[in-house]
Amino acid sequence: MVWLETKKVFIVLIGAILNAIAMNFFLIPANVYASGFTGVAQLLSSILGDFGSTGILLFILNIPVTILAWKKVGRSFTIYSFLSVFLMSFFLEVIPVIHVSGDILLNAVFGGVIAAVGVGITLKWGASTGGMDIIAMVLSRMKDKPVGTFFFTLNAIIIITAGFLYGWEKALYTLVTLYASTRVIDAIHTRHEKLTALIITKKSEEMKKAIHDKLVRGITTFPAKGAFTNENKEMMMIVITRYELFDLERIIKEVDPNAFTNIVQTTGVYGFFRRD
């Protein structure tokens, strides 16, 4: 357990460094904007000038959502997410802003890709980079409604404001960054807010207890039988959010490493689904 937590902290650290490098080496020098709260911090920094750096503003913006996450989401997720935000803000202040390339397209693409790798690996290990990820998780639990509209609205505000401040060419390159980052995050983690896990195991009782202890999710079971071995097993179906995928994977590996698991997209959930 200690080794797992150490690896998780290390992944969060690497993710924060990658995000800071993407910002200070590519996006900030080119006046191309990131998505979510990071992009908002960039915009505010551009408007305020010397009165507020991107790193400090990013940290301040994340304070209220961290408090919200602590109350609504869970302590472990919140602690790692806050650590990610703190480290990214720190590295944004420590790493100098360097013009690596004068080509704005290269800056937009590489900035988006490098930042997305940082976000993707952080999500994959059960944390987040704060901001909109935390809001998305809270909304997903409380309202059970698509959060894509909120992401789109915030990013649209960033793009339009960038267009007014620096010209519409900059806004279009910001779109390139958003597209590149979204595709990479989807490849590393998953773009689906809700997922259905189908677990076939011979240790169903132990698995159910471990899942309920950690995730408090409803589970539906079906009798199953291997077509080749004729072994009697049980198939468990559970719907989770994408932020719980890391914890579920760890539980399955610990209880039954030989369990067969299929993770599929869930486009909608009707009926009872725990939101708080």
Side-chain angles (χ1 to χ4, degrees):
M1 179 62 76
V2 175
W3 174 237
L4 175 63
E5 298 300 321
T6 303
K7 286 195 292 184
K8 200 169 180 179
V9 170
F10 179 74
I11 292 295
V12 169
L13 174 66
I14 296 300
I17 293 174
L18 288 174
N19 272 282
I21 289 174
M23 296 292 294
N24 285 359
F25 286 7
F26 298 99
L27 300 183
I28 290 177
N31 287 323
V32 176
Y33 291 87
S35 63
F37 275 34
T38 308
V40 174
Q42 276 182 271
L43 279 175
L44 291 176
S45 180
S46 300
I47 296 170
L48 296 175
D50 295 334
F51 292 99
S53 65
T54 301
I56 293 173
L57 290 170
L58 178 64
F59 183 79
I60 293 173
L61 287 171
N62 274 280
I63 291 175
V65 294
T66 300
I67 296 172
L68 179 66
W70 185 269
K71 294 180 178 179
K72 295 291 185 179
V73 178
R75 293 184 178 182
S76 177
F77 178 85
T78 304
I79 289 171
Y80 283 109
S81 298
F82 183 76
L83 177 63
S84 175
V85 171
F86 173 79
L87 289 172
M88 182 177 172
S89 300
F90 172 76
F91 288 121
L92 280 170
E93 295 298 308
V94 172
I95 297 174
V97 176
I98 300 174
H99 292 256
V100 175
S101 172
D103 189 321
I104 189 171
L105 180 59
L106 288 176
N107 284 320
V109 172
F110 277 91
V113 169
I114 293 172
V117 172
V119 173
I121 62 174
T122 303
L123 287 172
K124 195 172 181 66
W125 276 76
S128 81
T129 52
M132 285 302 294
D133 277 325
I134 290 177
I135 293 176
M137 189 169 185
V138 172
L139 288 173
S140 179
R141 289 193 171 190
M142 293 176 64
K143 300 294 183 182
D144 196 22
K145 293 182 179 180
V147 297
T149 303
F150 297 95
F151 280 99
F152 176 81
T153 302
L154 181 61
N155 289 332
I157 293 172
I158 293 171
I159 292 166
I160 293 170
T161 307
F164 279 114
L165 286 177
Y166 295 106
W168 295 107
E169 185 182 65
K170 302 285 187 181
L172 293 175
Y173 281 114
T174 297
L175 277 175
V176 173
T177 298
L178 297 181
Y179 177 78
S181 61
T182 299
R183 297 295 294 177
V184 173
I185 292 172
D186 291 350
I188 294 175
H189 189 234
T190 175
R191 66 187 175 91
H192 309 302
E193 286 301 320
K194 289 187 177 63
L195 304 164
T196 296
L198 302 173
I199 309 164
I200 299 175
T201 177
K202 291 187 288 185
K203 300 180 178 179
S204 59
E205 292 302 321
E206 298 96 315
M207 192 75 74
K208 282 186 283 188
K209 183 179 185 305
I211 292 174
H212 281 148
D213 287 345
K214 184 70 176 180
L215 300 181
V216 199
R217 287 291 179 194
I219 302 170
T220 301
T221 61
F222 309 90
K225 189 173 185 177
F228 180 74
T229 62
N230 285 322
E231 285 186 305
N232 290 318
K233 301 181 181 181
E234 199 164 49
M235 183 171 73
M236 306 166 61
M237 184 181 74
I238 176 173
V239 180
I240 59 173
T241 66
R242 70 174 185 166
Y243 304 100
E244 294 167 315
L245 181 58
F246 173 79
D247 288 331
L248 181 63
E249 288 175 345
R250 299 307 307 177
I251 291 169
I252 294 170
K253 288 179 181 178
E254 289 172 4
V255 175
D256 185 6
N258 296 318
F260 177 83
T261 305
N262 184 22
I263 306 293
V264 297
Q265 172 191 2
T266 299
T267 57
V269 176
Y270 302 95
F272 178 74
F273 183 79
R274 185 180 67 85
R275 299 175 179 86
D276 197 9

